[in-house]
Amino acid sequence: GVRGAFEREGLRWEDHGPSLAPFRWATVGVCACDWGHEDRWFIAQCRKAGIPSVCLQEGTNVDFGPYPYRMEYADAVMLQGAYSLKYLNRELAFMTGNPRYDGYVALPRPADERVLINCNFLFNMGHDKGRAWVEMAAAAVESLGIDYFISVHPRDASDLAGIGPIVRSGAYSIFDQLRDCSMVISRDSSIPHE
């Protein structure tokens, strides 16, 4: 989604990786996570090249606080709302809101009960538990005789073979998925907020 947005705005961009070439022409480095080892390396390379780094608050569910000091490494942060500021001691922060939510309105429940099971085991946190968690949620819903589908985050690599039905998710498809369900089962995620 970010690539498409940059292209629509006519902005030159490149994914960071082993090549340091982009640091010679880039004017800003953007990351959605600034606390991982690779992310801190990226921020260090930005600083070495004299490029400011910005961490974008991707979801409302960022767990601020002590280690790993989320959203405290980049030079600036883009936050979805002022509430997040009370957890951060930052000199520079921008309030961006979340344009993803702009089109959301209250909708009537669908006529038939249908459950969205949100599978989002990301950043190497819980991949080994993802399948078991989804199986338990699906079994509970099946025992009630309710229709369901499993909405899988684009960066989730959980092995869900044999469990279903599976629907790939993303920022541009989640609204339709939420509109088509009457209940959400989720772990830590922005989906319940949406």
Side-chain angles (χ1 to χ4, degrees):
V2 127
R3 292 177 184 132
F6 285 158
E7 288 169 6
R8 284 190 298 278
E9 295 296 322
L11 297 172
R12 183 176 173 198
W13 61 271
E14 187 168 333
D15 288 335
H16 79 85
S19 167
L20 299 181
F23 292 104
R24 288 194 291 272
W25 58 262
T27 55
V28 66
V30 180
C31 54
C33 166
D34 73 346
W35 53 90
H37 295 293
E38 182 180 351
D39 309 294
R40 290 186 299 185
W41 175 88
F42 172 72
I43 292 165
Q45 296 307 311
C46 287
R47 287 184 180 141
K48 197 185 288 186
I51 301 167
S53 60
V54 177
C55 182
L56 174 66
Q57 182 181 9
E58 193 177 12
T60 57
N61 59 318
V62 175
D63 188 12
F64 297 110
Y67 185 82
Y69 308 108
R70 291 172 174 94
M71 299 189 77
E72 294 186 24
Y73 292 98
D75 298 321
V77 292
M78 293 181 172
L79 300 172
Q80 292 187 15
Y83 184 79
S84 299
L85 272 178
K86 77 182 211 175
Y87 297 102
L88 296 172
N89 184 15
R90 301 292 320 216
E91 284 191 28
L92 188 58
F94 301 93
M95 296 299 129
T96 62
N98 189 332
R100 210 166 101 187
Y101 299 165
D102 289 348
Y104 281 28
V105 294
L107 297 172
R109 288 173 60 109
D112 297 319
E113 293 293 322
R114 190 165 192 217
V115 175
L116 180 157
I117 299 173
N118 180 30
C119 182
N120 66 334
F121 292 86
L122 310 176
F123 307 121
N124 297 322
M125 293 168 48
H127 281 268
D128 55 331
K129 296 175 181 71
R131 181 179 181 89
W133 185 89
V134 170
E135 283 178 334
M136 286 188 295
V141 173
E142 287 172 358
S143 74
L144 298 171
I146 300 175
D147 186 28
Y148 72 94
F149 63 97
I150 301 160
S151 177
V152 181
H153 190 284
R155 290 188 305 259
D156 186 298
S158 299
D159 173 14
L160 301 177
I163 310 174
I166 305 287
V167 177
R168 298 308 297 183
S169 186
Y172 298 102
S173 62
I174 192 60
F175 178 77
D176 292 334
Q177 292 178 20
L178 289 169
R179 185 187 58 221
D180 294 339
C181 73
S182 54
M183 184 186 315
V184 172
I185 298 175
S186 182
R187 53 182 289 283
D188 188 29
S189 171
S190 64
I191 299 285
H193 183 261
E194 292 181 64

